[in-house]
Amino acid sequence: MAQLSIRMDDALKARADVLFNDLGLNMSTAVNMFVKQAVRQGGIPFEITTKTDPFYSAANQARVIEGTKQPENG
């Protein structure tokens, strides 16, 4: 079996480890799933774009934070 070595930002790896663990996966299994899907689909198995999700905009995040404070403040 082939062995793959990649470099990744430490913080990104830590976040990915938590996510994959929550899904019952480890990094190796998750990467293998990604590669299998890429081969099956003949390309990257998700859209690659420079657009960001509007949910994560600064304005929306401020609204989300404010919304979570409202129940606390009555």
Side-chain angles (χ1 to χ4, degrees):
M1 182 169 282
Q3 189 170 17
L4 178 67
S5 177
I6 63 171
R7 293 188 182 277
M8 182 181 299
D9 177 81
D10 291 336
L12 177 61
K13 183 184 180 302
R15 292 176 62 195
D17 283 336
V18 169
L19 171 64
F20 298 147
N21 186 55
D22 287 347
L23 295 171
L25 306 170
N26 60 32
M27 183 68 73
S28 181
T29 301
V31 170
N32 272 291
M33 290 172 65
F34 165 77
V35 172
K36 285 179 183 181
Q37 284 299 316
V39 169
R40 283 186 187 129
Q41 294 184 22
I44 303 298
F46 47 84
E47 181 181 9
I48 298 176
T49 179
T50 59
K51 297 177 187 174
T52 56
D53 187 334
F55 177 81
Y56 296 102
S57 69
N60 193 54
Q61 289 300 297
R63 290 176 63 199
V64 169
I65 291 168
E66 186 59 34
T68 60
K69 290 180 182 177
Q70 288 177 358
E72 295 171 1
N73 296 334

